[in-house]
Amino acid sequence: MEKFSREMEELAAAWLEAEIPVVFTGAGMSTESGLPDFRSAQGLWRQRPESIATLAAMRTQPEEFYSFYQWRIARLWEVAPNPGHRVLSQLEQLGRLRKIITQNIDGLHQRAGSQQVTELHGSLRQVSCTQCGADYDSRQMLPRQPDWEAELQAGRHQPGEECKCPKCEGWLRPAVVLFGENLPADAWSDALTWSVRSDLFIVLGSSLVVSPANTCPELAADSARLAIINLEPTPLDDLATWIIRDRVAETLLKIRDLIVSEIPLGEIE
Ligand code: NAD
């Protein structure tokens, strides 16, 4: 018989009882799919994301900006949802999860089958033209020459025509919220509504340092019980009823088993 931690058992019981369970995900949700996060020891890039993922960098350091996003876009299309993404999709189907608010831009929740997803920071699966507004699959912005990643590693890569719109030659940009930009108004209002309504709010794989997204768990904790599953401490740990310092996917699989074992069989079929 597998041994579960007390936190995990209590959280599973609370999840089963909750009327409006909401989860809030960050980059740590997708590291088990092979996508690096920003802040852990295996973080993504030598330069700080706060300085490179900005409109100013797009204008003043286009080579670094476009190389950064080309590398991230290439990784995004190589990976698949992990068991943690799939557990959340199953829990939604079982009526045990009402909303996923995500800071992630990888689209992996939707690819795992989750329907109720609010993307706070846009999506890296698309790019758009800063001049005419045309939207494209983000692979449009990848270099055509096959050895470009080796060139990038060697410090010789020069982003080129692929970063321009095929229709009007305006600069393309990733359809994500860059540091310093406002969040999409609809997504933000939806996230605030669900944070306030929720009675159980579960943070999965986020350092909770990116603002204003981190307002959601803070607001939720006024009326909901808060759980944080993250490998490292976060600034909101003091507000949490349960803190589980373990890997998201593994933990979710265990919690799912505890929840499903309590659901009457008729509800599962
Ligand atoms: P973050 O990098 O600031 O924090 C990630 C946290 O997850 C860290 O505290 C780390 O310890 C923890 N973590 C890593 N792997 C884990 C695992 N397997 N299990 C449990 N915890 C794990 O990420 P953030 O809080 O999402 O905020 C940074 C910004 O990063 C967001 O705006 C997001 O858009 C962007 N981002 C997204 C992706 C993605 O879409 N996959 C990837 C990198 C960065």
Side-chain angles (χ1 to χ4, degrees):
M1 175 84 177
E2 183 153 14
K3 181 124 174 44
F4 298 104
S5 71
R6 188 177 49 82
E7 278 82 7
M8 220 180 276
E9 286 178 354
E10 284 181 14
L11 176 56
W15 202 324
L16 202 55
E17 280 167 17
E19 291 195 359
I20 308 182
V22 169
V23 308
F24 177 87
T25 65
M29 179 82 222
S30 298
T31 53
E32 287 164 87
S33 288
L35 280 179
D37 61 12
F38 276 169
R39 286 179 184 77
S40 64
Q42 292 84 32
L44 191 57
W45 210 250
R46 285 188 301 274
Q47 222 175 316
R48 279 159 52 87
E50 290 86 343
S51 41
I52 199 165
T54 63
L55 267 188
M58 184 175 147
R59 293 189 182 120
T60 60
Q61 304 170 263
E63 281 177 19
E64 274 138 278
F65 177 89
Y66 282 104
S67 298
F68 176 74
Y69 277 106
Q70 287 176 326
W71 188 88
R72 295 187 69 193
I73 289 167
R75 298 290 78 72
L76 182 77
W77 290 96
E78 288 169 357
V79 301
N82 65 50
H85 294 105
R86 288 197 290 276
V87 165
L88 295 181
S89 165
Q90 287 166 0
L91 289 174
E92 182 186 295
Q93 278 168 30
L94 289 169
R96 256 69 186 190
L97 181 57
R98 298 289 294 279
K99 174 61 85 177
I100 297 174
I101 303 169
T102 188
Q103 300 168 91
N104 292 345
I105 54 178
D106 54 34
L108 291 177
H109 288 302
Q110 294 91 326
R111 283 182 60 202
S114 291
Q115 308 272 326
Q116 299 303 321
V117 183
T118 296
E119 289 179 318
L120 284 181
H121 293 163
S123 171
L124 197 53
R125 303 180 81 77
Q126 278 95 46
V127 294
S128 61
C129 175
T130 54
Q131 195 161 275
C132 72
D135 294 318
Y136 300 94
D137 178 311
S138 59
R139 284 169 287 194
Q140 173 69 31
M141 213 173 87
L142 289 180
R144 307 294 181 260
Q145 65 271 29
D147 63 342
W148 72 271
E149 290 206 40
E151 292 291 296
L152 180 65
Q153 297 283 344
R156 290 193 297 263
H157 172 59
Q158 296 276 337
E161 287 303 301
E162 71 275 7
C163 301
K164 296 215 174 137
C165 175
K167 291 184 188 145
C168 76
E169 302 232 317
W171 287 102
L172 295 177
R173 61 159 288 169
V176 301
V177 178
L178 299 172
F179 283 97
E181 290 187 307
N182 290 332
L183 305 193
D186 288 354
W188 184 229
S189 139
D190 196 48
L192 291 177
T193 302
W194 282 97
S195 302
V196 172
R197 284 184 67 193
S198 138
D199 57 352
L200 176 66
F201 196 91
I202 304 134
V203 173
L204 301 172
S206 175
S207 60
L208 298 180
V209 299
V210 172
S211 173
N214 59 1
T215 312
C216 293
E218 206 172 357
L219 208 56
D222 283 344
S223 50
R225 285 189 289 175
L226 179 67
I228 299 179
I229 303 177
N230 200 60
L231 288 174
E232 295 171 315
T234 82
L236 299 190
D237 284 1
D238 286 350
L239 299 180
T241 305
W242 301 283
I243 296 173
I244 300 178
R245 286 225 196 295
D246 212 335
R247 289 152 66 89
V248 171
E250 272 170 36
T251 309
L252 281 179
L253 282 167
K254 291 177 187 165
I255 289 176
R256 190 266 324 259
D257 288 349
L258 287 165
I259 291 177
V260 169
S261 68
E262 297 295 326
I263 299 179
L265 270 182
E267 276 190 51
I268 294 175
E269 283 153 3

